Amino acid sequence: MDTDTNAPLLGEPLPVELMNTIWADRNGVHDALRDPEGTRAWLHAVSSRIDLMTPDALDSLTTSDLDSLGGRLVGLRDALRRLAAEATEDPRRAAASDIRELEAAVTALNRAAGDTPHWSALSWKPDQEPSRHVRTGGQTASAAVSAIAEDAITLFSQGTRQHLRACLAPGCVLYFLKNHPRREWCSAGCGNRARSARHYQRHRHTTA
């Protein structure tokens, strides 16, 4: 079973990583959640960052389960990309979400956060350190989607939103958090492409 996702993983918060399951290269724009195995691969890739997810639980999911999860993740991703476009004043047509209205995106995000309840529980036995566990009233993978949505609500409702950026390198459709004053691009590769494009344009104007 292939557990390697095609989506770029940039170490961003999980809501941003989910936004970036839409990505682009020279061959066009791609969707890492396009089929059940793509969904499983992406969830495997991020499972260590979600309390509710384990590789064994993911491997036990049926194709029908993955179809349903994939649909929920895509719906949440479309909402997040619309909200990100609003927050960043994103001008990129290729990056536009299938959800056009801000209100519809907010509704979709709130619904995703409440779809599957999950909560923290404390374990503390004599002679042992106390520890936190996450419990859910439904399938753990479904609760993980709701947990990502809840993280997204935190991202967009707090000051972190002001650090969200659309990568404006040529052909890129990704988002990132500006975690350093000099960071302009989602990755070093995009930075190199942007500098090359600028150099080409300057050279073209000089020789014209």
Side-chain angles (χ1 to χ4, degrees):
M1 181 182 299
D2 185 4
T3 58
D4 292 329
T5 182
N6 291 325
L9 295 172
L10 305 176
E12 300 290 346
L14 278 175
V16 182
E17 300 281 34
L18 178 58
M19 294 179 210
N20 291 345
T21 55
I22 291 287
W23 54 281
D25 61 16
R26 293 178 181 177
N27 298 315
V29 178
H30 307 279
D31 183 353
L33 306 178
R34 67 191 178 283
D35 55 39
E37 286 312 309
T39 298
R40 192 198 305 270
W42 186 78
L43 287 170
H44 260 292
V46 300
S47 62
S48 64
R49 299 169 59 184
I50 308 176
D51 291 335
L52 292 150
M53 300 290 292
T54 66
D56 288 344
L58 281 171
D59 290 339
S60 70
L61 295 175
T62 66
T63 300
S64 178
D65 291 334
L66 290 165
D67 271 333
S68 176
L69 272 175
R72 288 186 62 202
L73 283 168
V74 167
L76 176 57
R77 179 188 67 196
D78 288 348
L80 297 184
R81 290 184 67 88
R82 176 62 185 87
L83 296 172
E86 186 77 16
T88 63
E89 299 181 350
D90 189 353
R92 305 169 302 175
R93 289 188 179 182
S97 169
D98 286 342
I99 297 179
R100 301 300 183 185
E101 299 299 325
L102 177 62
E103 183 178 356
V106 171
T107 298
L109 172 57
N110 290 337
R111 183 172 59 246
D115 270 350
T116 306
H118 55 281
W119 61 90
S120 296
L122 179 70
S123 294
W124 195 349
K125 297 180 180 180
D127 302 321
Q128 293 184 5
E129 290 293 314
S131 59
R132 172 182 172 271
H133 302 277
V134 180
R135 305 283 172 80
T136 174
Q139 188 184 65
T140 56
S142 294
V145 178
S146 292
I148 295 173
E150 190 170 328
D151 287 348
I153 291 172
T154 300
L155 186 155
F156 284 110
S157 64
Q158 297 185 356
T160 313
R161 176 186 75 256
Q162 298 170 8
H163 300 289
L164 188 63
R165 298 289 187 275
C167 182
L168 301 181
C172 190
V173 296
L174 302 185
Y175 291 95
F176 66 96
L177 287 184
K178 186 178 177 69
N179 54 10
H180 188 280
R182 297 179 62 184
R183 187 179 182 188
E184 293 184 62
W185 321 108
C186 70
S187 65
C190 270
N192 290 336
R193 283 192 294 276
R195 284 187 286 271
S196 295
R198 286 175 179 173
H199 175 77
Y200 172 77
Q201 287 297 328
R202 284 197 298 266
H203 180 72
R204 185 180 176 189
H205 289 311
T206 299
T207 58

